[in-house]
Amino acid sequence: MAFALLCSSGLSAALEVGGSLPALNIPSRGELVLTGDKVSYTPWSSATIRSGSPALIFHMAARMSSDATIAPLRTRLESAGYAPGVFQSISVVNLDDALWGTSGMVASELTKNKRAHPEAVLVADDAGRGLAAWNLKSKGVAVILLNAKGEISYLKQGKLSKSDIDTIINKLNSEIANAEQLANN
């Protein structure tokens, strides 16, 4: 019993501010790639997240409630007018957490989003690998901000308040400025 508690408490600390993002490999489905007008899938790994640039990662269940949770943050990000490439935007969508019978609709929505935002990294996780690797809560949303060194500088699971969104935007702006300063030195 004590061993089980020790193991589970170790797992719950998988993501910590100041720590590194545990490796995540998604060999099937994976990243949506846009070639011309055609969208295909390729295996994806968190190892592809570039150092030297902040990364804003969304991990979400393939549910309408997840989209509604992050919509105000996405609106703020789009209205901020960030220069292309100043930060990496990565969305990992847990298809294993979709409501029964909605996978076709989810795939169609992912394709539509990739066409609308070709620079964004969209990843279809068909087996819940992200939940396991990062020890996240199912049926929800997690927002993870990595600094230019790949360290977690912000982590939030669940609903996002206006204060949470303000904090994310402020931390992202700070991480972008830090990355630019590192690049200039």
Side-chain angles (χ1 to χ4, degrees):
M1 174 75 167
F3 178 72
L5 288 174
L6 285 173
C7 288
S8 67
S9 67
L11 289 175
S12 66
L15 294 183
E16 293 181 6
V17 172
S20 297
L21 189 67
L24 173 58
N25 294 301
I26 302 178
S28 57
R29 287 282 180 131
E31 182 178 353
L32 281 80
V33 177
L34 184 63
T35 307
D37 194 38
K38 186 176 186 273
V39 175
S40 58
Y41 294 91
T42 187
W44 182 83
S45 169
S46 58
T48 63
I49 299 171
R50 299 183 318 271
S51 62
S53 161
L56 187 59
I57 304 167
F58 300 91
H59 185 283
M60 65 195 84
R63 296 170 179 251
M64 296 292 280
S65 59
S66 296
D67 196 41
T69 297
I70 63 166
L73 175 55
R74 289 219 188 263
T75 299
R76 286 276 302 275
L77 290 167
E78 288 172 3
S79 68
Y82 291 103
V86 74
F87 74 94
Q88 302 165 77
S89 175
I90 302 161
S91 297
V92 179
V93 180
N94 183 10
L95 299 179
D96 197 43
D97 218 352
L99 296 172
W100 186 84
T102 63
S103 61
M105 182 178 72
V106 170
S108 175
E109 194 65 24
L110 283 172
T111 298
K112 182 175 117 185
N113 286 339
K114 183 62 181 179
R115 287 187 175 119
H117 304 282
E119 72 289 348
V121 175
L122 299 178
V123 180
D125 179 0
D126 62 353
R129 290 177 181 90
L131 285 180
W134 297 343
N135 195 32
L136 300 172
K137 297 173 186 169
S138 65
K139 300 181 178 117
V141 172
V143 179
I144 306 160
L145 177 61
L146 302 181
N147 64 23
K149 298 175 189 171
E151 301 162 336
I152 298 170
S153 64
Y154 181 83
L155 169 64
K156 168 71 177 174
Q157 289 193 67
K159 295 190 184 284
L160 298 174
S161 68
K162 182 183 179 325
S163 175
D164 293 328
I165 293 169
D166 290 342
T167 298
I168 293 165
I169 296 294
N170 289 335
K171 285 193 173 285
L172 177 61
N173 289 339
S174 176
E175 294 300 349
I176 290 168
N178 291 341
E180 289 171 350
Q181 188 174 34
L182 284 172
N184 292 330
N185 288 335

